[in-house]
Amino acid sequence: MTDPIRVPEELAGERTDTVLAKLLGISRSAAALLCAEGNVLLSGAVLAKADKVRAGDALSVTIPERRDPLEIVVEPIEGLKILLDDDAFVVIDKPVGVAAHPSPGWVGPTVVGGLAAAGYRISTSGAPERAGIVHRLDVGTSGAMVVAKTEQAYTVLKRAFKERTVDKVYHALVQGLPDPLQGTIDAPIGRHPGYDWRFAVIEDGRPSVTHYEVLEAFGKASLVEVHLETGRTHQIRVHFSALHHPCAGDLTYGADPRLAAELGLTRQWLHARRLGFNHPVSGDWVEATSEYPQDLAYALSALENGTR
């Protein structure tokens, strides 16, 4: 059993499975399974997945020993699309709810396992459970992601991300209207001093630079294009939250739950729209673009049709 998990103020009134997914970094289905198996208690009573929790509730969670936490489970990923397939790499359209690779506490699908199930042979460089992974997208973020197939591609692409020669373009729906409409957020990011699962702008954090431009303003929210110069965990979410314009649906970083409900969002509106890099063998520039998935497209449509 883990140490009791205390429900923060911003998650008060949420369902148990939603709270666990956010605080433990697991999928909603994995959180629901924990509840169904009686592994989530409040004051000794079993909580169902749909039970609402209050701020300050101390949840006792037992994580069953299902398998080696770093074992690659080969299983198909529903909705996995291939954007580019090359002898040296593959660019996928990662669905929401999928982790890049196995990690302790994660019991959901992974990119590594999904590609293996689809018959892809990927690089064995790096840690075994991270085979071919040269960068990551958060579980709750969808979009374009490249995976190396060969050792050469792994080495070259890993260096490209480190040297910031990769063009990483995200689209985000943020609350309100950023001022100015185009700018750069240069603010260091580190672990939040009060919450282990969150990050924040802090004085002694790692250098973090985000460039943005407003593409369309809807009133309550704005669609922005973001170019990342660095790649810190939760960088876009943290930077826009620090500007008081959190990503719509991102309750962890201060988004309005009422707006999230209006837009049908159960996760942050954040999508890896485009990925460009030099081919690891030829050096030619290659680029892949990912279309918005259904939930994000619906939210935009709701705004365009009058949810302002």
Side-chain angles (χ1 to χ4, degrees), residues 87-123:
D87 290 342
F89 60 84
V90 58
V91 180
I92 67 166
D93 196 351
K94 189 188 84 66
V96 66
V98 178
H101 55 73
S103 62
W106 176 251
V107 295
T110 66
V111 169
V112 173
L115 286 175
Y120 284 86
R121 294 179 62 86
I122 56 180
S123 166

Side-chain angles (χ1 to χ4, degrees), residues 285-304:
W285 185 255
V286 294
E287 198 168 272
T289 299
S290 169
E291 299 302 321
Y292 301 145
Q294 185 175 4
D295 60 335
L296 304 190
Y298 174 87
L300 277 185
S301 177
L303 284 170
E304 292 167 349

Side-chain angles (χ1 to χ4, degrees), residues 34-212:
L34 287 174
C35 295
E37 293 178 339
N39 290 317
V40 185
L41 306 178
L42 175 62
S43 300
V46 175
L47 286 179
K49 65 179 182 180
D51 286 343
K52 303 296 178 65
V53 296
R54 297 173 300 180
D57 281 350
L59 309 183
S60 299
V61 183
T62 299
I63 307 294
E65 293 291 334
R66 304 185 191 280
R67 58 178 174 84
D68 181 339
L70 299 184
E71 174 189 353
I72 296 175
V73 177
V74 178
E75 58 182 348
I77 296 177
E78 183 179 355
L80 179 68
K81 298 177 183 177
I82 304 300
L83 300 177
L84 287 176
D85 193 358
D86 184 90
D87 290 342
F89 60 84
V90 58
V91 180
I92 67 166
D93 196 351
K94 189 188 84 66
V96 66
V98 178
H101 55 73
S103 62
W106 176 251
V107 295
T110 66
V111 169
V112 173
L115 286 175
Y120 284 86
R121 294 179 62 86
I122 56 180
S123 166
T124 56
S125 296
E129 74 278 5
R130 302 187 184 192
I133 300 297
V134 294
H135 73 124
R136 292 176 293 179
L137 294 179
D138 292 342
V139 171
T141 301
S142 52
M145 177 178 169
V146 62
V147 180
K149 287 184 179 180
T150 67
E151 315 313 306
Q152 178 186 2
Y154 180 89
T155 300
V156 174
L157 289 173
K158 196 76 173 175
R159 184 188 309 123
F161 277 95
K162 182 177 181 180
E163 296 178 351
R164 306 176 186 176
T165 61
V166 177
D167 187 24
K168 298 175 288 184
V169 181
Y170 292 74
H171 281 187
L173 186 70
V174 302
Q175 293 183 189
L177 180 63
D179 182 19
L181 300 181
Q182 182 174 350
T184 295
I185 309 168
D186 187 349
I189 290 175
R191 288 276 180 188
H192 193 292
Y195 303 96
D196 287 343
W197 67 92
R198 287 171 56 179
F199 292 81
V201 171
I202 57 176
E203 187 176 353
D204 59 349
R206 301 175 69 187
S208 308
V209 180
T210 301
H211 307 285
Y212 74 89

Side-chain angles (χ1 to χ4, degrees), residues 5-28:
I5 299 171
R6 201 161 294 278
V7 178
E9 186 71 38
E10 60 266 27
L11 293 181
E14 292 290 329
R15 290 166 49 115
T16 301
D17 55 356
T18 299
V19 171
L20 290 178
K22 291 182 179 298
L23 299 187
L24 295 179
I26 61 177
S27 68
R28 181 96 167 260

Side-chain angles (χ1 to χ4, degrees), residues 173 221 248-249 258-265 269 295 298-300 302-303 307:
L173 186 70
R258 293 168 298 181
L259 179 60
E262 288 178 21
L263 301 181
L265 289 171
W269 203 114
D295 60 335
Y298 174 87
L300 277 185
L303 284 170
T307 302

